[in-house]
Amino acid sequence: MNLFKHLLFIVQQRRAGNRVSFSAYIKGHERIELGRGCKIDSDASVDATRSPGVRLGDKVDLNRYAYVQGGDGGVRLGDRVKVNNYAIINGTGGVDIGDDTLIGPGVRIISYQHRYARGATIRSQPVDARPIRIGRDVWLGANAIILAGVTIGDGAVVAAGAVVREDVPAYAVVAGVPATIKKCRE
């Protein structure tokens, strides 16, 4: 996107009540929809160039160095979602995150994985893209990894550093590699 379009997008968003930093990286702006009161900090990135769209609900916060890539499946963040520093959300298979979810620093939400059959380089093989669904009021601890095809229920907690490769029931607290249920929220 040229500088004029970039600045125009930011000015339009500021007029609409959003706080978008002039040093935020915005790409594919015509496919980005921001709710009211969103904040995109300096050095945060939103890339919707290869995407059906990136939608941020009302009062979504993208902290510095957060990266949201729409990919082929798109990304939707509900109202009041907070994405902390260095978190990555990749929407190749599609990502849908419910209201009031907290995404800790360094979290990786990756909705695809590479195939790795023998006889061909991994790089030359297609990827398996599957949607990720994360419910409302979920807390993803620092450096957690959420893999393709996972659904995390409302109110669940994913401990720091956990690798989630299977569905997590509502209100469960999971930890470990791979993540397993440790208890349920009371």
Side-chain angles (χ1 to χ4, degrees), residues 28-51:
H29 67 281
E30 63 278 357
R31 292 183 208 89
I32 298 171
E33 179 184 340
L34 273 61
R36 295 181 316 273
C38 289
K39 181 184 77 164
I40 301 176
D41 276 346
S42 59
D43 303 312
S45 300
V46 180
D47 181 352
T49 53
R50 297 179 309 143
S51 173

Side-chain angles (χ1 to χ4, degrees), residues 88-136:
I88 294 174
I89 301 172
N90 174 282
T92 298
V95 174
D96 190 288
I97 299 175
D99 298 345
D100 300 304
T101 289
L102 301 175
I103 299 172
V107 167
R108 305 293 190 253
I109 300 171
I110 310 296
S111 61
Y112 74 97
Q113 50 198 20
H114 288 275
R115 292 186 188 170
Y116 50 88
R118 289 179 70 172
T121 62
I122 294 171
R123 180 181 201 147
S124 68
Q125 296 182 49
V127 298
D128 289 323
R130 293 180 294 153
I132 293 174
R133 305 280 181 245
I134 299 173
R136 300 172 53 101

Side-chain angles (χ1 to χ4, degrees), residues 17-31:
N18 295 313
R19 296 184 315 170
V20 179
S21 170
F22 283 106
S23 64
Y25 179 76
I26 308 294
K27 196 170 177 186
H29 67 281
E30 63 278 357
R31 292 183 208 89

Side-chain angles (χ1 to χ4, degrees), residues 56-67:
L56 308 183
D58 293 343
K59 297 182 180 178
V60 169
D61 284 348
L62 298 182
N63 284 351
R64 293 187 73 192
Y65 305 108
Y67 180 59

